[in-house]
Amino acid sequence: MMKTFRKIAAVAVAAVMTLSMAACGGSRSTAADTQDLVVARSLETTDMLPQTGFSNGDIWAIQQVYQTLTRNKTDGSGVEPGLATSWKQSSDGLSWTFKLRHGVKFHNGKTMTAKDVKFSLDFARTARDDKPWQFLFTAIKNVAIVDDYTVRLDLTEPWAPLPSDLSMSASAIMPADFGGKTETQFRNNPVGTGPYKLGEWKKGDYIKFVKNPDYWEKGKPKLNSVTFKYVSDANTRSQMVQSGQAQIDEFPTAVSVSSLKKTKNVHVESFPSTSLIWVNLNNRKKPLNDVHVRRAMAYAIDKTAIVRAIYYGQAESANSMLSKNLMGYSKDVKDLEYSMKKAKEELAKSSAPKHFSLTIQVQSGDPEKSMLAQILQESWKELGIDVQLQTLDSTTVYSNRTAGDFDVAMFEMTNDISDPDEWMQYMFSSTANVNSGYKNEKVDSLIKRAAADSNQANRLKDYAEVQQIIADEAPEIPLVYKPGLFAVRDQVKNFTVTTLGEYKLADTTIAQEQ
């Protein structure tokens, strides 16, 4: 193992040298005096329809154009008014009434009313194979229009996460009947109520948003435009910020941070995050369907060494598959701590005690995940597992996960709402969108019971039990919790990313660069 970490450390040092050289040769930004922001991003935006967009590359773009009835607080502790100014639950818990904000206009100039809210939520909860967020709406029986600025949601059962669910991008409010467009037309030319509207979208390259002059929050946004530039290679993103081609680099590698901090006119922002780096195992495939195989693989991973070798102490070992910055996280979860002795004992009990092969799918342009894959390859080799690495673009890695076409893959997960119900259902239920094939009736029952219980203490107890079951059965393996790191040029002011990952760009400005 030490030989592997020395090799990885050498790769990391080479990466730092490359970035340092780029910094020395950087040129001043040509856009220093404008209000046009360019963000170099690691994930492509592929879908701007809120109900079908599924990756962070989609969601964080959708949030610039659309808005929801409730919105997440910056610290992820709950929700606050959005397009709804207030809401009230009935005494029996079976309905919620929402008062809508007056004077909100869509990008097409039409005023938002209850008719638009009903259309949007009804569309969101109508079952379809390409809608990954259906589970958020299963308790909604009916969306009723009370008057032009009041809607009532009738439920099949009490549902504690509802106000948080309605802050999810899939709950975004669209104009009724897609504003007179077909769904396909609307998907390519979206209309929302957000601070920015779609300007130009060159798929596979960039998506540009322009200022909404009729935005309901007066005096916002400050920027004329925001461009999310898709750049899969981490080194290239850092070089773009160092040279001024972009003002923000989304998720610079930990090894590059020290170099970036030494670059003139650039600083590194670190925001609290729900980010978890984890290993997804395809539980449908032999021998990964064997709990002893999965446990052996989990025991063989030295997370402390990973934090040191790859993240340079800027992350921490994860004990649970639920983020530590999310309500419901249990610090008492006992994970399968590194022990090659226990790993070999588990494998000896399994259906594949001697030798088998598998492939890890790795996202291209991501040196951290590439190094992680090398560590996993070396760790599992000690168990007699032949591990092949397959490098693919991020879009393919995600689509393969949806199709179940993988053995092992690594992902970064962030929660989109303040309630853990989304994470629980998306990751662990028998219909989970991560498509690991894991099924456990007790886990399903605990998740369902927690969602229907308004007593928070009871919910926390159920969620702690789920986390321990997942830790014991290892359908997925948590690796590290990460902060939200961004390389930012000094000219960018009031740039904030919420604990749940949303870019708060309505207040962001660009000052003249010194």
Side-chain angles (χ1 to χ4, degrees):
M1 287 294 289
M2 288 306 299
K3 183 185 292 184
T4 300
F5 290 124
R6 289 193 193 102
K7 179 174 69 174
I8 291 170
V11 172
V13 169
V16 170
M17 292 178 64
T18 299
L19 289 169
S20 298
M21 291 170 65
C24 293
S27 61
R28 182 169 174 160
S29 171
T30 57
D33 301 328
T34 73
Q35 291 300 310
D36 300 296
L37 183 72
V38 177
V39 182
R41 304 196 60 205
S42 59
L43 291 174
E44 180 187 357
T45 299
T46 61
D47 191 350
M48 284 294 292
L49 189 65
Q51 297 76 18
T52 56
F54 70 94
S55 75
N56 285 339
D58 300 334
I59 292 169
W60 295 338
I62 286 168
Q63 289 168 335
Q64 304 309 313
V65 171
Y66 301 93
Q67 294 180 300
T68 48
L69 295 182
T70 63
R71 62 184 181 188
N72 294 308
K73 294 180 179 179
T74 299
D75 65 1
S77 62
V79 294
E80 61 189 15
L83 294 180
T85 56
S86 64
W87 49 92
K88 185 178 180 180
Q89 185 180 23
S90 64
S91 57
D92 62 4
L94 292 177
S95 68
W96 293 72
T97 301
F98 292 80
K99 294 290 185 180
L100 305 182
R101 191 175 298 278
H102 289 245
V104 176
K105 289 186 177 182
F106 287 105
H107 299 153
N108 60 10
K110 295 183 179 179
T111 300
M112 183 199 73
T113 68
K115 181 180 178 183
D116 304 299
V117 174
K118 176 174 172 56
F119 169 80
S120 300
L121 296 183
D122 281 345
F123 179 76
R125 68 192 187 91
T126 301
R128 210 169 72 185
D129 288 344
D130 63 343
K131 295 179 181 178
W133 309 108
Q134 293 282 204
F135 61 84
L136 297 173
F137 310 106
T138 54
I140 299 176
K141 179 172 63 176
N142 180 55
V143 181
I145 296 176
V146 178
D147 59 45
D148 282 350
Y149 290 96
T150 310
V151 294
R152 187 186 70 248
L153 274 60
D154 300 318
L155 309 180
T156 58
E157 59 183 332
W159 196 256
L162 184 69
S164 292
D165 289 342
L166 294 178
S167 70
M168 175 63 191
S169 58
S171 304
I173 305 307
M174 309 176 294
D177 300 315
F178 299 116
K181 299 178 181 178
T182 66
E183 181 184 327
T184 299
Q185 290 172 331
F186 187 85
R187 184 190 297 270
N188 293 319
N189 295 278
V191 172
T193 62
Y196 298 97
K197 53 186 180 179
L198 182 64
E200 185 179 7
W201 187 5
K202 187 175 181 181
K203 295 183 180 181
D205 189 357
Y206 65 86
I207 185 166
K208 181 176 183 178
F209 307 107
V210 296
K211 181 177 184 176
N212 174 13
D214 298 319
Y215 185 50
W216 59 270
E217 289 191 88
K218 300 304 179 185
K220 300 180 182 181
K222 311 290 187 182
L223 297 168
N224 291 326
S225 72
V226 175
T227 299
F228 288 161
K229 172 71 172 174
Y230 170 50
V231 183
S232 63
D233 184 73
N235 288 346
T236 303
R237 291 198 307 275
S238 290
Q239 291 167 16
M240 288 176 68
V241 169
Q242 291 168 328
S243 66
Q245 293 174 279
Q247 287 83 31
I248 297 173
D249 168 16
E250 174 189 79
F251 307 153
T253 59
V255 70
S256 71
V257 166
S258 59
S259 173
L260 288 164
K261 286 180 177 178
K262 296 175 184 176
T263 304
K264 184 180 179 182
N265 295 326
V266 174
H267 63 281
V268 176
E269 294 270 11
S270 178
F271 297 102
S273 171
T274 60
S275 175
L276 168 71
I277 306 296
W278 55 285
V279 179
N280 191 19
L281 306 177
N282 192 336
N283 290 221
R284 293 185 179 88
K285 291 192 173 184
K286 293 180 179 181
L288 297 176
N289 62 342
D290 187 325
V291 66
H292 294 294
V293 169
R294 300 196 304 267
R295 285 172 60 85
M297 293 169 69
Y299 270 128
I301 300 173
D302 188 344
K303 298 177 188 177
T304 301
I306 287 173
V307 170
R308 184 175 65 250
I310 298 180
Y311 297 102
Y312 289 74
Q314 297 181 75
E316 59 182 294
S317 298
N319 70 313
S320 169
M321 277 295 297
L322 189 66
S323 170
K324 65 170 296 186
N325 283 328
L326 193 63
M327 187 269 280
Y329 164 75
S330 175
K331 69 180 188 311
D332 298 323
V333 171
K334 306 295 184 186
D335 68 331
L336 305 179
E337 294 184 359
Y338 174 63
S339 170
M340 195 56 68
K341 179 176 180 292
K342 290 181 180 179
K344 291 177 179 178
E345 289 172 351
E346 285 287 343
L347 200 63
K349 301 175 188 176
S350 77
S351 57
K354 292 187 177 180
H355 177 81
F356 63 90
S357 301
L358 56 80
T359 299
I360 302 178
Q361 295 187 357
V362 186
Q363 182 178 318
S364 61
D366 188 331
E368 288 181 350
K369 288 195 177 68
S370 179
M371 288 187 285
L372 268 174
Q374 292 176 52
I375 288 180
L376 296 179
Q377 182 183 46
E378 192 70 16
S379 300
W380 293 337
K381 182 180 180 180
E382 289 193 42
L383 295 177
I385 304 173
D386 179 25
V387 180
Q388 301 299 314
L389 306 185
Q390 181 184 26
T391 302
L392 302 167
D393 65 85
S394 62
T395 303
T396 302
V397 171
Y398 275 88
S399 62
N400 284 352
R401 185 181 77 179
T402 301
D405 184 17
F406 69 99
D407 295 334
V408 179
M410 292 168 296
F411 295 99
E412 183 168 0
M413 172 78 175
T414 57
N415 210 55
D416 303 295
I417 65 175
S418 58
D419 195 282
D421 179 67
E422 179 207 1
W423 194 306
M424 289 280 166
Q425 295 204 56
Y426 190 85
M427 296 285 280
F428 311 138
S429 73
S430 58
T431 57
N433 290 86
V434 298
N435 204 13
S436 65
Y438 175 71
K439 297 181 184 297
N440 184 307
E441 291 183 2
K442 186 172 184 180
V443 167
D444 286 348
S445 176
L446 287 167
I447 293 173
K448 182 176 175 61
R449 184 173 74 181
D453 197 333
S454 59
N455 184 301
Q456 183 160 311
N458 291 340
R459 298 187 74 206
L460 294 178
K461 184 178 178 181
D462 286 342
Y463 289 143
E465 187 171 355
V466 170
Q467 290 168 75
Q468 190 59 63
I469 292 172
I470 298 300
D472 291 338
E473 298 192 352
E476 294 113 27
I477 305 171
L479 296 179
V480 299
Y481 301 125
K482 279 181 57 181
L485 292 176
F486 295 82
V488 184
R489 290 195 72 83
D490 293 343
Q491 65 188 124
V492 178
K493 308 298 181 183
N494 298 319
F495 170 65
T496 302
V497 179
T498 72
T499 301
L500 297 168
E502 180 178 355
Y503 289 56
K504 306 284 281 187
L505 296 177
D507 292 311
T508 302
T509 59
I510 302 176
Q512 182 173 354
E513 196 160 69
Q514 301 301 313

